Amino acid sequence: MPVSNPIPERYHRQVILKGFGEEGQNKLSTARVLVIGAGGLGCPALLYLAAAGVGHLGIIDHDEVALSNLHRQVLYDTTDIGQPKAERAALKLARLNNEVGIIPYVMRLQPANCLEILSGYDIIIDGSDNFSTRYMVNDACVLLNKPLVYGAVSQYEGQVSIFNSGEIRTNYRDLFPHPPAAGEVMNCAEAGVLGVLPGIIGTMQASETIKLITGIGEPLVNRLYTFNALSNLSYEILVSRTDLSASLIPADTYQFEQTNYDWLCGMPSGSLEIGLRQFNNMAGKAGILVIDVRENGETPLVQEFPHIQLPLSLLRENLADLNAETVVFFCQSGKRSLQAAQWLKDIQGPVKNIYSLQGGILNWRSPITE
Amino acid sequence: MNNTDIHIMVFGQLAEITGTANLRLPFVADSDLLKAALLAQFPAMGKVNFIIAVDKKPATKNVTISSESVIALLPPFSGG
């Protein structure tokens, strides 16, 4: 007489659920899920997926644990500060459930490695913290035809959705076709986030992933769920395919790998910035125009090197008139000047070399005192 | 007949521009007119990316608004 396998004690409480059963557990045990970002969203998602017995978990994060992460990134403790997140997460999850195969990737996800890494998984969870990664992962999932469990937070609110799954396939660009410009949307570092909020949203991502794998319930396919923790209001919008979105996604692997997502997302690439020494070597030389983009009245006033004043608020309309071989912008801290450099680069005018003084005038020292 | 206000749910940092998460504006008949009214009242909205959703659907093209329509403004979030 055949003896049926006893339900493993570890998963007993979910296997006895109606609609879940041993079949659901078996599906989980063979599933391969990649979590992008082991931060506020990734930590709770990983904890629940490992606990539930998802067979294989990939964790990609290039970052290290910082003290300011600990109020929301619940996989880490004080002794983890300075350690790579992906490795620490993998270690702790292995303690939680040694039946799960866990692969940490301590690296930055980039167009050059993205498709290869994602292609080894069935479902991708986006828990990243920036638009460059989000648009890159979205486009990669469309190209690879992989379900994407999207989650994002800001301050007291979060969003969850599933893209690229089901009969009608939609993606994030059907909602927001173009990435916002730099500075348009603040990230957690600048805008803040209630620690428990990514806990709620990341846990929902885990829940949606389990529903997708096991086929239970009605996952948030083509529905963007928005939740506000202050008011407890939630709101859902239905996502439909748009022609614009389809036209914006790279056509093939080659095009994808050539796409500069940092650039698309308005994140000025570091090459525009110059340090103190390079700046001092340039200032005052022929063919080099130094521009102060601070608003009128900002101090300290600068008399040590020749420059013109063109406040950022007036810069855009005057960009095309700038005519020098090299233009170097500076401001108070280096942020506005970097924006100015980006704008000038964008118009593709006559200026050949465009730079921004890193750290701004507040960190500037004359060549004599340096 | 449509002399009533329309009620708009405002999400994310857009609420910092509107000053409220529950905005009321005089009735307008479609989403293009709504967008124009929003930009007139809150010029800062011209600089940010957001969706106008009418009855749960993003207004990717101009759509009609009725006095019963549920309207929401949603910005993209990037935090994790």
Side-chain angles (χ1 to χ4, degrees):
Chain A
M1 204 175 98
V3 181
S4 67
N5 289 330
I7 299 172
E9 190 181 349
R10 181 186 285 274
Y11 307 117
H12 181 264
R13 298 297 193 280
Q14 67 194 30
V15 170
I16 59 173
L17 281 170
K18 252 185 204 165
F20 195 98
E22 284 182 52
E23 196 190 335
Q25 194 61 49
N26 288 338
K27 285 179 179 168
L28 284 183
S29 70
T30 55
R32 304 180 62 86
V33 176
L34 177 68
V35 177
I36 295 169
L41 296 166
C43 285
L46 283 161
L47 274 166
Y48 279 102
L49 292 174
V54 168
H56 299 273
L57 286 172
I59 309 167
I60 183 158
D61 201 311
H62 71 278
D63 211 358
E64 292 163 358
V65 179
L67 183 60
S68 64
N69 299 150
L70 299 186
H71 87 297
R72 68 188 187 284
Q73 302 186 13
V74 291
L75 267 170
Y76 315 116
D77 59 58
T78 320
T79 63
D80 295 320
I81 291 169
Q83 304 290 318
K85 288 182 185 178
E87 274 178 14
R88 297 310 291 170
L91 198 96
K92 301 203 173 185
L93 295 169
R95 278 188 218 145
L96 168 64
N97 191 346
N98 61 5
E99 294 170 12
V100 178
I102 301 163
I103 305 178
Y105 301 87
V106 184
M107 61 179 79
R108 197 184 282 273
L109 198 62
Q110 289 172 324
N113 62 15
C114 187
L115 295 176
E116 196 190 331
I117 294 172
L118 267 61
S119 62
Y121 294 87
D122 307 320
I123 296 177
I124 313 301
I125 297 184
D126 184 0
S128 64
D129 64 355
N130 63 83
F131 283 111
S132 305
T133 307
R134 291 186 178 282
Y135 276 83
M136 174 174 65
V137 168
N138 177 74
D139 293 359
C141 286
V142 173
L143 281 179
L144 296 168
N145 212 8
K146 302 261 180 204
L148 172 63
V149 181
Y150 160 90
V153 292
S154 174
Q155 298 184 330
Y156 298 101
E157 289 178 35
Q159 299 173 337
V160 191
S161 187
I162 300 173
F163 299 117
N164 254 318
S165 178
E167 276 175 42
I168 297 163
R169 308 232 155 176
T170 64
N171 68 80
Y172 189 65
R173 287 189 192 263
D174 289 313
L175 284 171
F176 298 102
H178 301 285
E184 195 182 289
V185 183
M186 288 186 277
N187 61 29
C188 287
E190 290 164 38
V193 64
L194 186 71
V196 74
L197 208 264
I200 294 167
I201 300 298
T203 304
M204 283 191 74
Q205 287 178 281
S207 171
E208 292 303 304
T209 304
I210 290 169
K211 284 158 68 181
L212 269 187
I213 296 168
T214 57
I216 57 173
E218 289 163 36
L220 285 167
V221 174
N222 301 339
R223 291 147 62 198
L224 180 85
Y225 173 91
T226 300
F227 172 72
N228 182 312
L230 289 183
S231 60
N232 282 310
L233 277 180
S234 62
Y235 183 76
E236 243 183 75
I237 62 172
L238 307 172
V239 190
S240 309
R241 284 177 71 101
T242 63
D243 294 338
L244 178 60
S245 156
S247 72
L248 292 169
I249 290 175
D252 53 31
T253 306
Y254 177 78
Q255 264 197 31
F256 176 85
E257 287 173 355
Q258 298 302 309
T259 304
N260 182 341
Y261 284 89
D262 285 344
W263 176 256
L264 285 180
C265 296
M267 302 216 323
S269 55
S271 63
L272 291 172
E273 294 193 300
I274 54 168
L276 200 58
R277 188 154 301 178
Q278 214 179 339
F279 180 83
N280 284 338
N281 283 339
M282 287 183 180
K285 301 264 163 67
I288 293 174
L289 177 63
V290 179
I291 302 175
D292 181 355
V293 295
R294 294 179 299 170
E295 300 302 312
N296 290 329
E298 284 188 66
T299 54
L301 294 172
V302 174
Q303 290 165 343
E304 289 86 347
F305 50 84
H307 66 278
I308 63 164
Q309 285 176 301
L310 189 47
L312 195 70
S313 57
L314 303 174
L315 181 69
R316 272 202 135 145
E317 56 223 60
N318 294 303
L319 276 176
D321 299 331
L322 293 179
N323 202 347
E325 192 174 324
T326 300
V327 167
V328 186
F329 294 103
F330 75 90
C331 67
Q332 208 76 326
S333 72
K335 268 192 181 169
R336 283 174 288 172
S337 56
L338 189 53
Q339 177 68 75
Q342 191 68 44
W343 284 346
L344 183 57
K345 195 167 180 180
D346 287 345
I347 65 161
Q348 297 181 357
V351 182
K352 278 190 201 143
N353 312 304
I354 302 162
Y355 299 108
S356 160
L357 171 61
Q358 199 167 25
I361 205 65
L362 292 178
N363 289 299
W364 180 79
R365 302 279 179 280
S366 78
I368 304 152
T369 57
E370 192 197 349
Chain B
M1 159 182 177
N2 284 320
N3 282 333
T4 165
D5 281 355
I6 45 175
H7 174 223
I8 304 163
M9 300 162 77
V10 186
F11 287 95
Q13 289 174 319
L14 289 171
E16 287 174 15
I17 297 176
T18 60
T20 172
N22 295 293
L23 182 65
R24 283 183 183 279
L25 287 183
F27 182 82
V28 286
D30 63 47
S31 57
D32 282 356
L33 289 170
L34 174 63
K35 186 153 195 180
L38 285 167
L39 292 180
Q41 192 167 342
F42 308 105
M45 276 197 181
K47 290 183 185 156
V48 296
N49 200 351
F50 65 94
I51 297 173
I52 297 176
V54 179
D55 297 327
K56 289 193 165 193
K57 291 187 186 126
T60 46
K61 294 179 183 122
N62 193 18
V63 295
T64 308
I65 291 173
S66 80
S67 56
E68 284 88 40
S69 291
V70 177
I71 295 167
L73 309 180
L74 294 125
F77 293 170
S78 72

